[in-house]
Amino acid sequence: MPITPTPNIWMNGEMVPWDQAQIHVLSHTLHYGTGVFEGIRAYETADGPAIFRLREHIERLFNSARILNMPMPYSIPEVIQACKDVVADTGLSSCYLRPIAYFGYGEMGLSIEHCKTDVAIAAWPWGAYLGDDAATKGVRMKISSWKRHDHNIMPPASKTTGNYANSTLAKMEALAAGYDEAIMLNSAGLVSECSGENIFAGLGDVVYTPPTSAGALKGITQDTVAALADDLGINIAVGEMTRSDLYIADEIFVVGTAAEVSAVNSVDDRAIPCPGPATKAIAEAYAEVVRGKNPKYRSWNELAS
Ligand code: PPE
């Protein structure tokens, strides 16, 4: 999706004009995939632009760095404040934020022992990630021939830049075959997640989502959906799923910061009722909570200024 530039990108504590926010081609992370990042959205609320679950995203960024053994040169409160400053600086009422920590120029070779961590935060307007019809008409999913990361190959709990080569392979395979998005199984053959979303499938009275042990990222939207579903009286359970469970599901939806709550209309050309009742109710509740319209969760809407 093309990006519309905003005036500045935060780089190591400075607001740098968008076009000048550049790094050297010998940056360590460019060669070895050794960065960590987040995807966060700010929404328009009655009190101004508010960043949704900012603290949880920045805490996950720091956990991703810990898994990679990457020292962070700023504290969690400093990065939180920098994200707010970036949103305020854009002048936008809603946007997508991309904080990234990476090893820059100065050292090469696989060791990160002497590398310095650089941090940047960009924000830009970003529309519906899986298309404007995703919430209503749904998306076509393909089970990928690419397996999800194993815990002892690339830790899936860390949002490491290098992990996303696997996601890109799966996404491109799905798009080339005429689908919208890929569902990935782990090496045991169980459902893990999508190239950039967690997955939920309704089977009888319960809506299941795979555990992190299956190779799924611990999704913040997944956690939000679990809380909203509980309030709506929808039973959510973390549980293992096979591809056949998906083929016979009553409804399926995928969730993520970028994709929000997107309905699924088919998996490998097996039609899935879409949008199902839980999908609809949860998508509506999600659209409200991110915009500060659910008083119970107002603390999740962090005002940008
Ligand atoms: N799994 C993966 C692999 C993933 O990348 C995401 C977010 C999720 C699950 C959902 O996580 P959460 O955002 O905490 O609910 N994907 C981000 C990046 C997408 C991209 O194309 O870049 C996002 O949604 O921002």
Side-chain angles (χ1 to χ4, degrees), residues 251-305:
E251 58 182 297
I252 300 179
F253 54 95
V254 298
V255 309
T257 299
E260 302 180 303
V261 178
S262 297
V264 169
N265 61 37
S266 67
V267 177
D268 290 346
D269 305 307
R270 277 85 168 165
I272 308 291
C274 173
T279 308
K280 257 185 103 171
I282 289 169
E284 280 166 21
Y286 188 77
E288 294 206 332
V289 76
V290 293
R291 290 173 181 81
K293 293 180 185 165
N294 185 332
K296 185 172 173 188
Y297 302 111
R298 204 49 78 63
S299 64
W300 284 347
N301 310 108
E302 187 113 23
L303 289 179
S305 54

Side-chain angles (χ1 to χ4, degrees), residues 60 96 98 129 148 159 164 193 196 198 220-221 257-258:
R60 189 172 64 186
Y96 183 83
R98 171 56 55 85
Y129 188 65
R148 200 55 174 151
K159 255 181 102 73
Y164 282 79
E193 61 175 343
N198 291 108
I220 291 162
T221 317
T257 299

